[in-house]
Amino acid sequence: MHENKKCHHFKVGKALGFKNSSYICSMKQIKALFLTVFFGIVALLAVSCGKQGEQRVQQISDVDLQLDRAHQTHNYDSLLLLVDSFSAAGVLSDIKTNYWLGYVHQRKGQQRLAEVYWKHAVNDEANDPVSLDFYAKSASRLASLLLLKGDYE
């Protein structure tokens, strides 16, 4: 059937090791095959990267939920333990870790430690909106602490 056409033939199946294979006659068919394979690979990569991103977001929201539960129940020892373990696992950013450590120590009456942690949080660089939020919280708590202490500028 394809033998009557005057086009450039090559066997796709032979290259792949198939005995009975079809001919690809035109450049349009070659481009269509190439684009189909290309977009299939891109789709697979997007799906696999999306799943990893979703898992990371789910992990972060679980961490935030656990921290919020300990915060709402005023269980500061548990909150301190959670912050230390999540920070060691690399799940919490430095700003978030320093904010929560400052918060726990301030609630326990350890104002000097709270000041140290909030100063560390303010000195860290905030690159994303969540870090910027905790930067602002740390700066606000530090300013309030320094105001009460009488050590403001």
Side-chain angles (χ1 to χ4, degrees):
M1 180 174 185
H2 291 286
E3 287 80 57
N4 296 342
K5 291 185 181 180
K6 294 182 179 179
C7 61
H8 302 287
H9 293 268
F10 68 91
K11 288 202 173 214
V12 174
K14 201 174 222 181
L16 297 175
F18 297 117
K19 291 181 183 177
N20 297 328
S21 60
S22 61
Y23 288 97
I24 297 178
C25 291
S26 69
M27 287 304 286
K28 285 183 182 180
Q29 289 175 332
I30 294 170
K31 287 180 185 178
L33 178 66
F34 174 75
L35 289 175
T36 303
V37 170
F38 176 74
F39 285 121
I41 291 171
V42 169
L44 286 173
L45 287 174
V47 168
S48 67
C49 291
K51 287 183 180 179
Q52 290 174 352
E54 289 172 10
Q55 289 172 349
R56 178 78 176 159
V57 167
Q58 181 64 35
Q59 183 182 21
I60 290 171
S61 63
D62 289 343
V63 167
D64 288 335
L65 183 64
Q66 290 178 15
L67 291 173
D68 193 47
R69 266 193 219 130
H71 171 251
Q72 294 299 325
T73 59
H74 306 285
N75 190 350
Y76 302 118
D77 292 327
S78 175
L79 186 58
L80 185 61
L81 183 66
L82 287 171
V83 170
D84 283 340
S85 63
F86 290 145
S87 177
V91 178
L92 287 179
S93 66
D94 289 340
I95 292 176
K96 214 172 190 180
T97 300
N98 286 322
Y99 168 78
W100 282 115
L101 290 173
Y103 178 82
V104 167
H105 288 295
Q106 190 248 352
R107 288 298 188 177
K108 288 181 153 195
Q110 301 167 342
Q111 305 300 325
R112 288 184 184 161
L113 273 176
E115 181 181 346
V116 168
Y117 283 117
W118 287 330
K119 280 183 178 179
H120 283 296
V122 170
N123 290 332
D124 285 339
E125 188 173 329
N127 297 327
D128 57 280
V130 175
S131 293
L132 189 60
D133 183 41
F134 279 91
Y135 175 88
K137 288 179 182 181
S138 298
S140 174
R141 288 199 177 266
L142 179 62
S144 296
L145 183 70
L146 292 177
L147 181 66
L148 288 173
K149 193 171 133 180
D151 190 18
Y152 54 89
E153 292 179 20

